[in-house]
Amino acid sequence: MDRTKAIIFGATGQDGSHLADLLISKGYEVTAVSRRCSVDNTQRIKHLLDHERFHLVQGDITDASSVINILQDIENVDEVYNLAAQSHVGVSFKQPGLTWDITGKGCLNILQSIVDLGLHCRFYQASSSEMFGDSYDVNEHGEKYQNEQTKFLPQSPYAIAKCAAHYMTRLFREANGLHASAGILFNHEGERRGENFVTRKITKWIGNFVRWKKHVADEETEWESTYEPAMTFSEDDIHIHPKVAEGENIKFPKLRLGNLDAFRDWGYAGDYVEAMWLMLQQEQPDDYVVCTGKTYTIRDFLDEAFGYIGIEDWSDFVVVDPKFYRPAEVDYLRGDHSKIKEKTGWEPKHDLDGLVRTMMEHDLNGII
Ligand code: NAP
Ligand code: G4F
């Protein structure tokens, strides 16, 4: 039986792992590319490792020969997804060269290999709303938004590398006739999100805090979904004087964050990989914005996440640390997904409330 074959570059990441789940569920033969690491980087796909239609290969998109070998080894590959990136915006200011090599040039390595090998596959590039940077349009109600027509004004080495990869994808579509599409995805999160992105940093901290409070600070007390602490606060740490550890001054570090006033359009990663797949099922390749159309600040996310455990005022738990400020910030992102909805029927299934619930349930892991 001839199965649809896909290659995922970046399969060990958040999106790659959700996409692999989706493609396996659709009956695909999936080749997942992971880069060589000194520790195990397959945590997010470990449930797939023994699946008969899931094949893990090693490779690195900065190495053109490695990309060619992978593409060559799979006969008649149908779909190639490039999700591989140095994807942290803050890190890109400190490691711009590495970010360029992976996030920018890596895409070119794949596109050029597809052309050089004469493959007839479809290609997906993971473009980003970060490419809009400081740019937005304003609708008839005076609301700011970004869509496929909004110009790019990138604010970081990451965003500039993504713009280069985006334009390269477009060029190969037009100049070489490749079925190459780019998804301009707004922030999407979930229980598999890397722990140094702001949403997961928050939900993970809360999970650890609740775990600590229940198991270390006060074993006897059932956690109630209201904040009833025997706590005092110093500037940097939460001090607790637990009944069970009398006399001991056990500390739990506060949650240290940077800019709390940026607006982001946050969706759920599981919904967004569906959009990637739909793009490659269209007869014509194209670029699409993928988003929820709603925007919130980091403060709003903190309200939702702390609210989940019954804490309304999180100000005693959070410290603003300039260490996490970026040299340049993207202040406002809110997408308009009319095009993908019209062409493919795609719509997000999670709102902020549902997203936070999913992440909190995971990070509390049955504690409450
Ligand atoms: P992620 O969790 O950081 O995953 C990135 C993946 O790229 C990981 O599998 C990583 O491998 C791999 N990778 C890094 N360098 C590589 C290299 N040199 N060769 C091969 N693989 C390499 O990112 P994500 O959130 O899943 O995002 C997926 C893609 O969408 C990225 O391109 C990202 O820039 C883009 N994007 C993400 C969002 C979002 O909100 N999540 C929004 C717009 C666009 P390791 O596991 O070994 O690190
Ligand atoms: O969670 P973030 O790091 O995501 P950011 O920078 O928006 O980038 C993510 O989304 C992009 C799509 O728009 C992707 F292309 C990219 O790969 C990545 O997935 O930061 C979100 C906001 C920023 O304004 C940041 O300054 O949160 C602010 N923030 C405040 N404190 C923080 C922190 N960000 C991080 N990572 N860590 C903090 O402590």
Side-chain angles (χ1 to χ4, degrees):
M1 180 184 173
D2 252 6
R3 295 191 183 277
T4 313
K5 291 181 193 164
I7 301 177
I8 306 174
F9 291 93
T12 55
Q14 171 189 248
D15 291 6
S17 64
H18 280 294
L19 181 65
D21 285 343
L22 179 74
L23 298 183
I24 289 290
S25 77
K26 289 184 182 297
Y28 277 54
E29 198 79 36
V30 175
T31 296
V33 184
S34 84
R35 59 181 168 167
R36 191 263 157 193
C37 234
S38 66
V39 288
D40 182 18
N41 60 352
T42 59
Q43 282 308 305
R44 294 181 177 107
I45 48 169
K46 64 173 184 292
H47 57 289
L48 292 172
L49 293 177
D50 292 331
H51 197 288
E52 56 176 3
R53 285 185 281 108
F54 185 82
H55 316 286
L56 190 65
V57 298
Q58 232 173 51
D60 193 303
I61 62 164
T62 61
D63 183 337
S65 68
S66 147
V67 172
I68 288 184
N69 286 338
I70 290 164
L71 291 171
Q72 221 165 14
D73 279 355
I74 295 142
E75 221 178 300
N76 298 328
V77 61
D78 299 285
E79 296 172 12
V80 174
Y81 294 85
N82 178 28
L83 309 182
Q86 187 303 94
S87 73
H88 197 282
V89 174
V91 168
S92 80
F93 286 98
K94 293 183 176 139
Q95 300 179 29
L98 177 87
T99 303
W100 175 257
D101 288 348
I102 302 173
T103 310
K105 179 139 185 295
C107 174
L108 172 61
N109 287 341
I110 301 174
L111 287 165
Q112 193 62 55
S113 304
I114 291 174
V115 169
D116 290 350
L117 292 169
L119 304 181
H120 296 288
C121 58
R122 297 183 172 193
F123 174 78
Y124 173 84
Q125 166 60 15
S127 290
S128 164
S129 54
E130 275 292 308
M131 302 187 307
F132 295 119
D134 259 358
S135 165
Y136 54 82
D137 292 307
V138 179
N139 67 17
E140 65 275 21
H141 308 294
E143 297 160 340
K144 298 192 253 179
Y145 70 94
Q146 290 97 1
N147 70 10
E148 294 80 3
Q149 269 73 53
T150 307
K151 72 172 183 197
F152 298 145
L153 204 55
Q155 292 292 305
S156 64
Y158 166 81
I160 290 169
K162 279 289 180 192
C163 282
H166 182 80
Y167 286 128
M168 203 60 87
T169 302
R170 211 175 173 143
L171 180 69
F172 274 71
R173 175 164 79 218
E174 283 164 15
N176 299 84
L178 278 195
H179 191 296
S181 295
I184 307 173
L185 270 56
F186 283 61
N187 298 51
H188 45 279
E189 321 290 313
E191 69 283 6
R192 299 185 192 177
R193 185 56 145 156
E195 292 172 13
N196 55 3
F197 296 95
V198 75
T199 57
R200 189 74 200 289
K201 191 170 162 182
I202 293 168
T203 61
K204 189 86 188 173
W205 185 94
I206 295 175
N208 285 337
F209 170 66
V210 172
R211 198 168 288 113
W212 166 82
K213 186 177 184 327
K214 187 168 165 63
H215 296 296
V216 179
D218 191 349
E219 274 180 325
E220 306 300 317
T221 309
E222 286 283 304
W223 176 264
E224 293 167 17
S225 62
T226 51
Y227 169 52
E228 51 78 35
M231 294 185 194
T232 57
F233 299 98
S234 74
E235 198 178 311
D236 282 344
D237 299 290
I238 293 169
H239 294 256
I240 194 159
H241 303 282
K243 293 171 203 127
V244 285
E246 233 167 302
E248 271 185 61
N249 193 12
I250 303 166
K251 290 182 178 181
F252 191 84
K254 284 195 182 188
L255 172 57
R256 308 185 80 83
L257 297 174
N259 176 18
L260 305 184
D261 297 314
F263 285 82
R264 288 292 182 274
D265 178 333
W266 280 300
Y268 177 61
D271 295 345
Y272 284 36
V273 297
E274 191 97 35
M276 298 175 190
W277 176 78
L278 279 168
M279 284 177 220
L280 294 206
Q281 311 317 305
Q282 303 309 301
E283 208 174 306
Q284 298 301 326
D286 208 340
D287 301 333
Y288 298 89
V289 157
V290 179
C291 60
T292 68
K294 302 204 173 91
T295 191
Y296 300 92
T297 62
I298 319 303
R299 289 181 196 280
D300 296 328
F301 193 94
L302 284 162
D303 284 345
E304 283 286 337
F306 275 95
Y308 189 86
I309 57 161
I311 294 177
E312 278 177 20
D313 177 5
W314 41 261
S315 57
D316 280 332
F317 299 88
V318 176
V319 179
V320 171
D321 185 339
K323 187 172 92 182
F324 296 104
Y325 288 162
R326 290 168 186 178
E329 178 62 280
V330 172
D331 292 321
Y332 189 91
L333 290 176
R334 183 173 83 89
D336 165 11
H337 61 265
S338 309
K339 179 176 171 182
I340 191 163
K341 186 178 170 194
E342 189 199 320
K343 300 261 170 149
T344 73
W346 182 89
E347 277 190 280
K349 297 191 187 98
H350 289 67
D351 55 12
L352 185 72
D353 182 52
L355 172 67
V356 170
R357 198 172 337 110
T358 302
M359 295 178 76
M360 288 304 308
E361 271 167 15
H362 181 271
D363 283 336
L364 287 165
N365 195 15
I367 315 171
I368 59 173

